[in-house]
Amino acid sequence: MKQKKILLDENEMPTQWYNVMPDIPNGIDPPLDPETKQPMGPEKLAAVFPMGLLEQEMSDKSWIDIPEEVQEIYHIWRPTPLVRAYALEAALGTKAKIYYKNEGVSPSGSHKTNSSVAQAYYNKREGVKRLSTETGAGQWGSALAFATHKFGLECKVYMVRVSFDQKPYRKIMMNTFGADIVASPSPDTAFGRKILEDMPGTAGSLGIAISEALEDAATRDDTKYALGSVLNHVILHQSIIGLESKKQMAKIGAYPDVVIGCCGGGSNYAGMMTPFLTDKLEGKKIRFVGVEPASCPTLTRGVYAYDYGDVARQTPLLYMYTLGHDFIPPGIHAGGLRYHGMSPIVSALVREKLIEPISVHQLECFEAGRLFAQTEGIIPAPETCHAIRAAIIEATRDLNDPQTILFNFSGHGLLDLSSYEKYYAGELHNYDYPAEAIAAATKNLPKI
Ligand SMILES: *Cc1c(COP(=O)(O)O)cnc(C)c1O
């Protein structure tokens, strides 16, 4: 019989996260203070993040223990299945072996709970009572809502106005987990009130929501801020994806020739590929392919420079690939892939030519997602469709190449069905971000 699912027992779940920082050739550049443009120490960041997470953000230790309280909650859905996509392979007529790691089985339906649970734990341990955050498509908000409830913390979510109106089910999910959620811009912060006055009826943006959540945390003693991607500590928590995958492949004597994932802020992909990185550095033949939308081509067409994480220029400056902090994402449906920047870790691995970045168009992604649903039986999130599309490109380049492909299935799309509806109705179009717009947005990068 063909073995489709490769499962781990609960006691085989990794008990340490892997920190890639010490293994990145030539390292990564430190975050800079947005005012002084000097390297930023932990003191200033401590206003919005707990020390436990700041230590991880700057850690040079390769392995960090996963606290038992976090492991216990991980066990609700972890270890996640690694699945051989036999039916997809057959539909493609390829000799390639395609494996996917299913992170869609988590409580909120994506990989984001791997970090939200850890973040809630370290905040709780340091006496924080309440977390504030922003959410675009709603996936991070739901993940944090679940995790804060588990640790008895309050949670305030600033959700970009347009998603708040278009994705009512994400809102209900967050309410179910007990979070307080408001459309951004909101009357609850000074920055939100100013935007509402200057731009009544605005659809909002992730940048505005970040600014509101940061203001909330900075102005209340009981509250800290939580970010769902980009930062080093988030990627540390996501390393459990790759660590489990490696164990699962070893169980059947397999090893990937290529590891694929979609890149928004970079967390699910880095979490998948970094545990395989040292093998490559030691000479093993393995490729890493990171996929982004052609409409938000941060890694393939952006510049590598210091930039702000938000439009209000409040965040530290990060050295990363960026389309410029005032990049306006077009309304494509992969909401989680519309960030102007990219995690410094993924950026440095692209700089070192260890990750090959590629971009794909949204129509071919939805087509890939539909084929995946019809063959494997799971409807993927629009972000995840990008990884599937890239896996199909690899598997069909030479149908006789028996290579082993591993990709991260970052989340299911059951709360994104309205995007599929638009796709079937022919309302979605391909869009290449214009070169002039990239040139204009990257002209306003901070001068260092
Ligand atoms: C948020 C999200 C992404 C993109 O974020 P990364 O930090 O790049 O992982 C991808 N897929 C899903 C399902 C998401 O929810």
Side-chain angles (χ1 to χ4, degrees):
M1 204 185 75
K2 289 179 177 177
Q3 185 179 6
K4 185 159 175 66
K5 288 207 282 294
I6 300 112
L7 303 173
L8 294 176
D9 291 335
E10 284 201 13
N11 61 15
E12 292 176 290
M13 189 181 81
T15 55
Q16 293 185 309
W17 290 301
Y18 165 67
N19 175 24
V20 71
M21 296 276 279
D23 294 324
I24 298 177
N26 302 311
I28 69 172
D29 294 271
L32 302 185
D33 188 309
E35 282 152 32
T36 65
K37 313 260 162 68
Q38 294 302 307
M40 198 154 182
E43 321 75 48
K44 215 161 166 188
L45 290 167
V48 289
F49 292 114
M51 280 320 291
L53 294 175
L54 287 178
E55 275 162 23
Q56 293 180 351
E57 189 63 22
M58 324 218 165
S59 175
D60 57 4
K61 284 204 322 218
S62 292
W63 297 94
I64 295 179
D65 289 341
I66 305 176
E68 268 176 33
E69 294 89 334
V70 173
Q71 290 187 38
E72 206 172 290
I73 298 177
Y74 276 180
H75 279 309
I76 293 175
W77 74 99
R78 304 209 73 87
T80 62
L82 181 78
V83 186
R84 171 91 184 260
Y86 284 110
L88 176 64
E89 290 168 16
L92 297 172
T94 179
K95 291 211 172 79
K97 302 177 196 67
I98 306 176
Y99 293 88
Y100 64 92
K101 177 72 166 162
N102 187 358
E103 291 296 307
V105 298
S106 90
S108 67
S110 81
H111 66 284
K112 291 204 170 71
T113 37
N114 296 331
S115 187
S116 68
V117 171
Q119 293 190 38
Y121 166 81
Y122 288 103
N123 277 286
K124 171 76 178 185
R125 202 185 62 175
E126 291 175 35
V128 175
K129 297 278 181 285
R130 182 173 169 277
L131 287 180
S132 68
T133 198
E134 73 286 336
T135 196
Q139 282 147 327
W140 170 243
S142 352
L144 193 69
F146 161 73
T148 45
H149 188 77
K150 274 287 182 192
F151 285 103
L153 301 172
E154 286 176 53
C155 181
K156 171 81 175 242
V157 182
Y158 295 86
M159 185 169 185
V160 178
R161 164 58 73 183
V162 56
S163 312
F164 187 90
D165 294 336
Q166 286 176 359
K167 304 218 160 183
Y169 296 124
R170 276 285 167 197
K171 194 165 58 196
I172 296 166
M173 187 172 193
M174 289 183 250
N175 289 146
T176 304
F177 289 133
D180 177 13
I181 152 163
V182 69
S184 166
S186 80
D188 300 5
T189 64
F191 188 72
R193 286 189 293 274
K194 182 174 177 313
I195 299 278
L196 284 175
E197 213 178 283
D198 295 350
M199 303 191 272
T202 173
S205 74
L206 205 52
I208 295 171
I210 293 177
S211 304
E212 286 204 276
L214 275 171
E215 178 187 326
D216 183 318
T219 52
R220 283 182 61 148
D221 282 344
D222 62 348
T223 301
K224 293 219 186 283
Y225 169 73
L227 188 65
S229 185
V230 180
L231 299 179
N232 306 339
H233 66 265
V234 181
I235 287 173
L236 172 80
H237 305 149
Q238 296 298 351
S239 68
I240 193 157
I241 302 173
L243 293 169
E244 279 184 8
S245 302
K246 220 173 158 177
K247 255 190 170 174
Q248 283 161 307
M249 295 206 94
K251 251 190 162 172
I252 53 162
Y255 191 86
D257 293 299
V258 54
V259 181
I260 295 170
C262 63
C263 296
S267 73
N268 88 85
Y269 186 49
M272 171 56 112
M273 58 74 59
T274 53
F276 292 92
L277 182 71
T278 44
D279 294 348
K280 187 180 178 88
L281 295 174
E282 285 163 12
K284 191 136 186 159
K285 213 175 126 277
I286 176 170
R287 291 169 54 224
F288 301 115
V289 176
V291 198
E292 61 185 11
S295 56
C296 184
T298 316
L299 291 169
T300 49
R301 295 173 63 203
V303 294
Y304 190 46
Y306 270 112
D307 197 8
Y308 302 98
D310 68 330
V311 266
R313 305 177 189 195
Q314 292 182 332
T315 69
L317 294 164
L318 299 177
Y319 204 50
M320 60 184 177
Y321 280 91
T322 178
L323 293 166
H325 54 273
D326 36 27
F327 165 79
I328 299 164
I332 60 155
H333 273 277
L337 303 181
R338 288 163 59 186
Y339 186 61
H340 69 270
M342 184 57 65
S343 89
I345 288 178
V346 169
S347 295
L349 296 176
V350 168
R351 175 198 70 202
E352 296 298 316
K353 306 212 174 345
L354 292 164
I355 293 177
E356 306 162 35
I358 67 164
S359 72
V360 290
H361 285 105
Q362 73 171 352
L363 294 183
E364 57 185 316
C365 291
F366 277 103
E367 188 189 323
R370 188 184 203 182
L371 177 65
F372 188 89
Q374 292 175 346
T375 50
E376 296 298 314
I378 312 172
I379 299 183
E383 293 88 344
T384 309
C385 292
H386 289 68
I388 297 169
R389 176 61 193 143
I392 292 176
I393 291 173
E394 283 294 332
T396 54
R397 187 179 297 123
D398 173 0
L399 294 173
N400 287 314
D401 181 357
Q403 64 169 327
T404 299
I405 298 168
L406 168 64
F407 75 87
N408 191 36
F409 187 94
S410 55
H412 71 67
L414 293 177
L415 293 180
D416 302 292
L417 293 178
S418 59
S419 330
Y420 282 86
E421 185 180 28
K422 290 206 175 72
Y423 170 61
Y424 301 141
E427 289 168 21
L428 298 186
H429 305 283
N430 285 339
Y431 180 83
D432 275 303
Y433 204 73
E436 314 82 69
I438 296 178
T442 50
K443 224 172 51 202
N444 293 333
L445 291 173
K447 307 272 176 293
I448 307 301

